[in-house]
Amino acid sequence: MDKTPAAPEKNPLWTRDFTIITVGSVVSMLGNALSSFAMDLMVLDVTGSTLMFAVYSILYMLPNALAPVLIGPFLDRFSRKKTIYTLDFITAGLFAALTAVLLTGRFNIYVLSLANFLLGAIGGIYFAAYDSFYPLLIREGNFQKAYAVSSTLETLSMVMLPVSAFIYKTFGIVPLFLANAVSYLAAAILETQIRAEEAYIDLRKNESGGAPPGLRRFTADFREGMKYLIGERGLLAVAMYFFFSAMTGGMTGVVTLPYFRNTFANGEYVFMLTWGMASLARFLGGIVHYNLKLPAGSRYAVAFGVYIAIAVLEGSYLFCPVPVMMVMTFTTGLLGVTSYTIRISSTQAYVPDGKKGRFNGAFNTLCTVGTLAGQAAAGVLSLAVGERWVVVIANAVCLAAAIVLIGGNRQHVSAIYNTQA
């Protein structure tokens, strides 16, 4: 007996464009993970200093902080798709140039620092464009699924860390730079094939606000975007909390790898093993969020609880034996993917398409400034207290921010989070 074919899904997630952006992201993400971790190891090998590692990290974050808020108004008037693939082509060229410099034998810490600064500027613009373009490729009702996919794939980059460390120690950094150049080139070529229409461009052309093209229009757009963010109390509370969360990440990011290297034999591998558990958890958590939607009315409560738990676990795990650390980082990984999925699916569904560039630019800048402030604070604090106590201080600040900003603005934040994205 013939079976009646299943009805096609009304709003499928895996459209042609969504598939292309996902595959392109994976390709560039894996290549970048190979090179960036090796660059961190090289800086530590050359300088041997947590403070200098912090300075190196700041050189990346400084332009990364300024670029998103400056580019946000332009991203609401011009093609985000072209911005994304153009920057990927530029990044491919930069890593090809670094490979050539390495082969000449003229490579040094100053060249590496300059490259890191340029990558920070490119990354700041890229992520503002990507975060604003990605939601346009998601059909209604699929935001949680889409961002679960995004979060799951991001965790795959952790798989490349032991590969990166092995190649760096065995063959040096040249093959890693070359691989990254190829991966970014492949991603850029893929992204040129996306067909999605960017209707917001025509909409914004008709909303000039009386300002002519140029600096005056940019200033008007920038002020309008900031006015929108400030006027949305829930969005502002979320953005400010993630400023402190990013500051915590900046502080812990500076001291954690040096702590493992200084405390354990082959500490970079202990670091990868410990935080590899978090990546595994994020991967598994992403699969869960892809298949199981959180009830709309509980999303705020879940997110608030997650913020509290993460601060407590990450503030204390370095005082535990390695097996216990692994359990704790696995738990924070599960919690982290839940936090990410709720926050980004809710805010991207909430913010209008014509304002996404400015909102994401402002949000990314706040987070980057937070990371930058955290890195600077950690570099200084590491001279006065041990790395573990830097982590404790950072997470204590983050815990207070969650209670005051997310807990203290429950009505406004829940109006954003408690929606079925």
Side-chain angles (χ1 to χ4, degrees):
M1 183 172 64
D2 292 337
K3 294 183 178 180
T4 303
E9 190 177 347
K10 184 178 179 181
N11 281 320
L13 172 64
W14 291 96
T15 60
R16 178 182 182 277
D17 285 346
F18 184 79
T19 302
I20 289 173
I21 197 73
T22 301
V23 173
S25 297
V26 171
V27 171
S28 60
M29 199 182 303
L30 295 181
N32 189 57
L34 276 174
S35 63
S36 60
F37 187 65
M39 289 168 74
D40 289 346
L41 293 177
M42 176 180 279
V43 171
L44 286 171
D45 285 341
V46 171
T47 67
S49 167
T50 299
L51 178 60
M52 291 305 297
F53 184 62
V55 171
Y56 169 80
S57 300
I58 288 169
L59 283 174
Y60 177 86
M61 298 309 299
L62 187 59
N64 203 277
L66 297 174
V69 74
L70 294 177
I71 201 67
F74 290 106
L75 294 176
D76 285 337
R77 289 190 182 274
F78 301 101
S79 174
R80 299 163 188 168
K81 178 180 73 173
K82 291 179 181 178
T83 302
I84 289 169
Y85 68 67
T86 299
L87 289 174
D88 276 345
F89 277 125
I90 292 172
T91 305
L94 177 58
F95 276 100
L98 286 173
T99 303
V101 172
L102 275 163
L103 293 175
T104 65
R106 297 178 180 176
F107 192 80
N108 54 50
I109 191 65
Y110 301 107
V111 173
L112 187 64
S113 298
L114 176 60
N116 202 38
F117 183 86
L118 294 175
L119 289 171
I122 292 170
I125 299 170
Y126 179 89
F127 285 113
Y130 184 90
D131 287 348
S132 304
F133 183 61
Y134 187 74
L136 305 184
L137 309 182
I138 304 170
R139 294 192 175 183
E140 185 179 354
N142 286 305
F143 276 81
Q144 180 175 318
K145 271 190 173 185
Y147 285 106
V149 170
S150 176
S151 178
T152 300
L153 295 177
E154 283 181 16
T155 63
L156 291 177
S157 62
M158 281 294 291
V159 175
M160 305 308 292
L161 298 192
V163 178
S164 174
F166 174 78
I167 294 175
Y168 169 69
K169 286 180 173 291
T170 308
F171 303 104
I173 206 167
V174 171
L176 298 172
F177 280 174
L178 184 59
N180 210 15
V182 172
S183 68
Y184 271 101
L185 178 62
I189 292 171
L190 276 172
E191 288 156 356
T192 61
Q193 302 305 305
I194 295 174
R195 297 173 181 169
E197 297 293 330
E198 297 176 284
Y200 65 88
I201 297 176
D202 291 332
L203 178 65
R204 292 295 295 162
K205 282 180 181 177
N206 297 325
E207 296 178 358
S208 62
L215 182 60
R216 286 180 61 191
R217 178 176 289 179
F218 167 82
T219 304
D221 287 349
F222 178 79
R223 287 176 178 171
E224 183 186 338
M226 294 306 295
K227 183 178 179 181
Y228 171 73
L229 178 58
I230 293 169
E232 289 282 347
R233 187 169 169 181
L235 285 177
L236 183 60
V238 171
M240 290 307 300
Y241 165 73
F242 277 94
F243 164 83
F244 286 103
S245 178
M247 185 173 69
T248 299
M251 292 179 74
T252 59
V254 164
V255 299
T256 303
L257 180 58
Y259 170 77
F260 276 93
R261 294 195 96 194
N262 294 335
T263 305
F264 303 99
N266 295 313
E268 62 265 33
Y269 290 100
V270 180
F271 168 82
M272 287 185 285
L273 182 63
T274 301
W275 280 101
M277 296 302 293
S279 296
L280 174 62
R282 289 181 69 91
F283 179 80
L284 296 175
I287 294 173
V288 171
H289 282 286
Y290 182 84
N291 291 287
L292 181 65
K293 280 194 173 184
L294 289 168
S298 67
R299 287 161 64 92
Y300 166 82
V302 170
F304 184 44
V306 162
Y307 300 156
I308 300 296
I310 288 176
V312 171
L313 288 169
E314 290 196 356
S316 57
Y317 83 105
L318 288 181
F319 293 88
C320 301
V322 171
V324 179
M325 284 190 198
M326 293 170 65
V327 174
M328 295 172 78
T329 54
F330 184 87
T331 305
T332 58
L334 287 175
L335 297 174
V337 71
T338 301
S339 164
Y340 171 84
T341 304
I342 291 175
R343 188 268 301 174
I344 199 165
S345 63
S346 299
T347 55
Q348 295 305 313
Y350 182 84
V351 177
D353 288 344
K355 296 183 186 294
K356 279 186 170 66
R358 282 162 290 170
F359 168 74
N360 288 320
F363 183 89
N364 289 347
T365 292
L366 277 172
C367 289
T368 308
V369 169
T371 302
L372 188 62
Q375 289 171 339
V380 174
L381 280 173
S382 66
L383 300 176
V385 300
E387 287 100 341
R388 292 189 299 182
W389 286 104
V390 173
V391 173
V392 171
I393 293 168
N395 281 280
V397 172
C398 195
L399 177 62
I403 293 170
V404 172
L405 294 168
I406 303 300
N409 289 281
R410 176 173 183 169
Q411 178 184 350
H412 302 282
V413 176
S414 63
I416 299 171
Y417 279 9
N418 285 349
T419 55
Q420 195 61 273

